[in-house]
Amino acid sequence: MRRTRVLVDVRPLHVGDFRRLWAAAVVTSLGAQLTAVAVPLQIYGLTGSSSYVGLAGLVGFAPMATAALWAGALADVRDRRRVLLATTIGIGVTSLLLWAQTWAHLRSVGVLLLLVGVQQALFGANTAVSRAVVPRLVAPELLPAANALQSMVVLSAGIAGPLLAGFLLPVVGSQTLYLADAVAVCATAWAVWRLPPLPPAGSGGHGRRAGIRQIVDGVRLVTRHQVLLLVYVCDFAALFLGLPTALFPQLSRETFGASNIGVLYAALSAGGVLAALFSGTFTRVGRHGIAVAASVGLWGLAVAGFGLSRSPAAAVGWLFLAGGALLALGVFRRTVLQSAVADEMRGRLQGIDTVVAAGGPRLGDLVHGTAGAAFGATWAVTGGGVLTLATALALLLLFPDFRRHRALDTTAPDTTVSGRPGVCVAPAAPTRPHRRA
């Protein structure tokens, strides 16, 4: 029994709807990684310039952020199944268009960047809606385990996908990788099609439109409720101050050897996968506020240790620990955002979360790159880790309500909240908790 509680908690997979989505994500996430590798390689092949490769990331961010905020609001006033199905199909169609432009030998960077922007917008919208769907499928106490299972799929695909792409590219070329991604999306489209209707909770959402007012309501809710705001602050601090991937090339050249740069990237994901496999050790933790801050603090400590490392083995060890802490942070962050608000606000909070999760690393890359050039990579990485750890400790010490926040706490004024400040409501019941495979 004790061994079962150490390993990943698979109870959410007993729910048929969630199990289908999770199994489909195994296929779809792997396909997405094929496109993630093929796009920059095609851009570089057309231009011979890394600046255009970097431009692709910039081109994709603004559409993704905008779409995530809008889709989050839409998920609160429309049937989430329909919105999720539309964005999923849209991603597949865009991958098919990426295949078509390669097949037609367009050799147009403009067309490629346009398709990247469209696909990133659809991805941002899809992410926000899908995270708001999960609490309607599984019981509230299973949310941490469900989030751990989903994170394990994404991280595993982040390791296996690039390896598979590297093997297939010389054999079949980028054209076939795009087509494989489009086919892989069909698995998730099928799983979403099998979901029951997921209309807005209560009668207040029916007939409303998603617009600026709804997005502003979501932002206002976050700013007026301490626990929600501090969860975002923790996540942003970890990704902005403590994510050192922009300095991996410099560190590999100056300290660990150029041939080890791939190992550094893989170590973060591998640490997350390992933590997910043994997530039964922490997904039953009840104090989610402390769990979020502790994950951020452990992440900062591990990053600081990585910055001080002088051998590849030590660096990989610290990055393993960092990846595990980042996995735990993602699990508890999403669980708080999913369970601490009424269902009518979940979509908007997940939209904001998608923007923070995407914007933090991009801004962090800029700051780390600048600091690394000015002070050296070691000081930049270690300093970022120390600042991250200090932020986590300060939030724990300064905000008692954050420390006291518990899973599914419906009594504290800053935990389970509706769209009206100061109003506490219980989390919405899952749509079909009784349906099990």
Side-chain angles (χ1 to χ4, degrees):
M1 184 68 177
R2 183 171 297 178
R3 180 184 176 185
T4 302
R5 294 197 171 204
V6 168
L7 297 177
V8 59
D9 187 351
V10 297
R11 288 179 297 164
L13 296 180
H14 296 161
V15 182
D17 292 325
F18 178 81
R19 184 178 66 250
R20 280 189 290 271
L21 282 177
W22 183 84
V26 173
V27 178
T28 301
S29 297
L30 194 61
Q33 287 297 322
L34 299 182
T35 292
V37 171
V39 165
L41 284 177
Q42 187 181 2
I43 291 175
Y44 187 81
L46 292 174
T47 65
S49 171
S50 294
S51 63
Y52 277 93
V53 178
L55 181 62
L58 182 62
V59 165
F61 175 65
M64 180 180 64
T66 303
L69 292 173
W70 175 77
L74 188 64
D76 289 335
V77 298
R78 294 289 185 271
D79 188 312
R80 288 176 187 168
R81 172 185 172 273
R82 292 185 177 182
V83 180
L84 188 60
L85 184 62
T87 55
T88 301
I89 293 174
I91 291 172
V93 170
T94 310
S95 295
L96 199 60
L97 291 175
L98 285 168
W99 167 80
Q101 59 86 29
T102 307
W103 175 79
H105 302 288
L106 290 183
R107 300 187 62 81
S108 171
V109 178
V111 170
L112 193 54
L113 291 177
L114 175 63
L115 291 175
V116 167
V118 171
Q119 191 168 65
Q120 286 299 297
L122 289 165
F123 173 76
N126 186 270
T127 300
V129 179
S130 63
R131 290 178 179 174
V133 163
V134 173
R136 298 281 291 271
L137 303 179
V138 302
E141 65 270 14
L142 296 182
L143 281 176
N147 288 323
L149 286 165
Q150 290 185 314
S151 297
M152 182 170 63
V153 168
V154 174
L155 290 170
S156 299
I159 299 173
L163 293 175
L164 181 61
F167 173 76
L168 292 177
L169 269 171
V171 180
V172 299
S174 60
Q175 178 179 328
T176 304
L177 296 191
Y178 293 138
L179 187 58
D181 183 17
V183 173
V185 172
C186 294
T188 294
W190 170 80
V192 175
W193 179 264
R194 291 288 307 276
L195 290 176
L198 299 172
S203 59
H206 293 279
R208 291 167 52 194
R209 294 183 178 181
I212 298 297
R213 180 178 178 180
Q214 283 69 38
I215 295 173
V216 171
D217 285 345
V219 174
R220 186 182 296 117
L221 173 66
V222 171
T223 58
R224 292 182 178 181
H225 291 276
Q226 189 182 97
V227 170
L228 300 178
L229 181 60
L230 293 182
V231 166
Y232 285 120
V233 170
C234 280
D235 189 50
F236 185 79
L239 299 176
F240 175 68
L241 297 174
L243 187 62
T245 50
L247 294 173
F248 280 4
Q250 183 177 348
L251 285 167
S252 64
R253 186 179 69 250
E254 295 176 355
T255 307
F256 305 121
S259 61
N260 288 315
I261 185 171
V263 176
L264 299 182
Y265 283 109
L268 270 176
S269 295
V273 172
L274 187 64
L277 289 173
F278 293 94
S279 57
T281 57
F282 58 82
T283 52
R284 292 176 173 84
V285 169
R287 287 182 174 267
H288 286 175
I290 291 179
V292 168
S295 300
V296 173
L298 184 59
W299 162 261
L301 177 65
V303 169
F306 165 68
L308 296 174
S309 300
R310 288 296 173 266
S311 70
V316 167
W318 284 112
L319 288 176
F320 256 80
L321 181 61
L326 198 60
L327 180 281
L329 170 60
V331 167
F332 288 114
R333 182 192 79 242
R334 287 197 295 270
T335 300
V336 171
L337 298 178
Q338 290 168 340
S339 64
V341 296
D343 187 71
E344 65 191 42
M345 296 297 296
R346 281 177 178 148
R348 276 164 279 190
L349 261 62
Q350 295 305 322
I352 297 171
D353 182 56
T354 302
V355 174
V356 172
R362 285 173 169 82
L363 294 175
D365 285 348
L366 177 63
V367 171
H368 276 88
T370 303
F375 307 109
T378 297
W379 282 102
V381 174
T382 305
V386 171
L387 287 174
T388 303
L389 175 59
T391 300
L393 292 175
L395 293 178
L396 278 178
L397 292 174
L398 295 176
F399 299 99
D401 287 340
F402 187 49
R403 291 197 306 270
R404 290 193 291 263
H405 179 74
R406 288 183 174 272
L408 310 176
D409 186 353
T410 60
T411 58
D414 283 320
T415 56
T416 306
V417 294
S418 70
R420 293 177 293 170
V423 179
C424 299
V425 296
T431 304
R432 289 155 59 179
H434 60 279
R435 182 175 177 181
R436 305 203 178 256

